[in-house]
Amino acid sequence: MFKFPTSGLRAIFFGATVLMGASVQAAIPIQQWTLANGAKVYLAATNALPIVDVQADFDAGSRRDPAAQAGLANVTATMVEKGIRASGGDPAMDQNALGEAWADLGANFDVSAGGERTSFTLRTLAQPALLDKAVRLAARQIGEPAFPADVWGRERERLNAAIKEANTKPATVTEKAFAQAVYGTHPYGVETTEATLAQIDVATMRKRYEQLIVPCRAKISIVGAVTRPQAEDIAKTLLSRLPSSASCPELPAVPEVEPLAAAKETRIPFDSAQAHVLIGQPGYRRADPDHFALNLGNYVLGGGGFVSRLTEQVREKRGLTYSIYSGFSPGLQAGAFRIGFQTRPDQAEEAVRVSREVLAKFVAEGPTEAELKAAKDNLIGGFPLLLDSNRKLLGNVANIAWYDLPLDYLETWTARMNAVTVADVKGAFARKLQPERMVTVIVGAKQP
């Protein structure tokens, strides 16, 4: 990824927290509309910085990978950055030529794939001439990726080496075992291996790209110094090199994550100085109305660092670990809840027992009034820091777009957090978590 080369530009980007903070306090309104091609556009216009940030999201994450080709979403996103083909009189450009072109514009363009979406992100100065050139170059990368076969051959070898090295680390082994135990055969739990990469070629990438990266399924988020007419032009231009279609058939439904029927425990021998432990289960979907209560409750349980119950009981009182955390990862399907820590191999059994006890007590009783107030004070007090730059604001707008959240979500966030009661937290945790049916993965501990 190209980085802005001049110290002057860096000063503009990173020295404007006060300006952005003022904009956050003013609750920047989000506008939303739909283009004729079906793409949905979300705009948060702010003149705090002379920058425009854009993110185009498509339902093309790894949850849509065939199991035998796990990793397809990620490698396809990687290969989009490796060159563009000639088209309409415009010359082909390899990766080096693209890098130089972006450097000349003083702009960034990235492609990434997560579990749910493939994202194209553009950052450029708002100066009209530069903005227009950057958007048109981004449109070529989105609409005309070359997928060079020779580059994919080298990239696959690099990924194979990275997989081999990662599998020598206990943290990787723990994560993979946990995902498989929690999700089973659901796409959230599928693992990218050397074997699945061997089943992927550039023809497979092109076919997937043509099926999933289509204008009618785009969600485009725009933040920065632009007007609505400018934003509309940006969105149209970004998608202009993709093939148009008269229809937009629904994608096949991704199955829901199945709840666990019983507790599971996986123990994996590993020669490591620390035992790695994960405890958890499927959690909740992002659209769940318990979202705010679960976030506040998790802060008390294990998301609040040194003020959380898990840290107090497992680290402070017993010295069983240096750090311990809990957290939810909600998505379009139920992402996992987890408790994670490392400990001395001979202390793993006790640390697991205490962690389970703390969790069970919290699910049964919920937080105290004082704990809930402290959680609110911390999270609400830190909320402006989640929006104090164009890039952070873009991430929030893109999440509103992706999860179909209300357009006033950021404006009402504080009020909704303040409205949560102890009873709300207790009820939410009782509905979502079943401590007696959780997965426990222990890697590297001495056998009992």
Side-chain angles (χ1 to χ4, degrees), residues 37-42 53-61 63-64 77 109-122 142 208-209 212-223 235 238-239 242 248 251 332 391 393-404:
N37 59 18
K40 294 182 178 180
V41 184
Y42 295 74
D53 284 286
V54 184
Q55 181 167 321
D57 290 323
F58 296 82
D59 188 349
R63 69 187 188 133
R64 296 202 175 276
F109 183 81
D110 289 299
V111 189
S112 62
E116 296 180 342
R117 48 183 153 165
T118 291
S119 301
F120 303 85
T121 56
L122 169 67
I142 294 172
R208 183 188 199 277
Y209 201 83
L212 299 179
I213 309 300
V214 293
C216 62
R217 299 199 187 100
K219 291 190 173 183
I220 301 177
S221 303
I222 303 173
V223 170
L238 273 181
L239 304 177
L242 289 169
C248 191
L251 292 172
L332 293 175
R391 198 183 298 278
L393 183 56
L394 177 70
N396 279 277
V397 173
N399 282 337
I400 288 171
W402 188 250
Y403 295 115
D404 292 320

Side-chain angles (χ1 to χ4, degrees), residues 22-73:
S23 297
V24 168
Q25 297 304 318
I28 298 170
I30 299 172
Q31 303 176 59
Q32 194 277 319
W33 65 95
T34 303
L35 300 179
N37 59 18
K40 294 182 178 180
V41 184
Y42 295 74
L43 168 65
T46 169
N47 293 314
L49 297 172
I51 304 170
V52 179
D53 284 286
V54 184
Q55 181 167 321
D57 290 323
F58 296 82
D59 188 349
S62 61
R63 69 187 188 133
R64 296 202 175 276
D65 289 352
Q69 294 172 320
L72 178 56

Side-chain angles (χ1 to χ4, degrees), residues 355-369:
S355 298
R356 287 173 174 165
E357 289 174 355
V358 172
L359 173 63
K361 179 178 173 64
F362 187 81
V363 172
E365 300 176 0
T368 66
E369 291 284 358

Side-chain angles (χ1 to χ4, degrees), residues 207-272:
K207 181 178 179 180
R208 183 188 199 277
Y209 201 83
E210 292 169 359
Q211 290 174 337
L212 299 179
I213 309 300
V214 293
C216 62
R217 299 199 187 100
K219 291 190 173 183
I220 301 177
S221 303
I222 303 173
V223 170
V226 291
T227 63
R228 175 162 171 163
Q230 286 178 305
E232 181 137 0
D233 287 343
I234 289 170
K236 288 178 180 178
T237 301
L238 273 181
L239 304 177
S240 63
R241 300 277 184 147
L242 289 169
S244 58
S245 176
S247 63
C248 191
E250 290 288 326
L251 292 172
V254 176
E256 294 296 331
V257 178
E258 293 294 330
L260 299 177
K264 302 179 184 178
E265 187 171 285
T266 301
R267 293 176 176 271
I268 301 175
F270 205 97
D271 184 14
S272 58

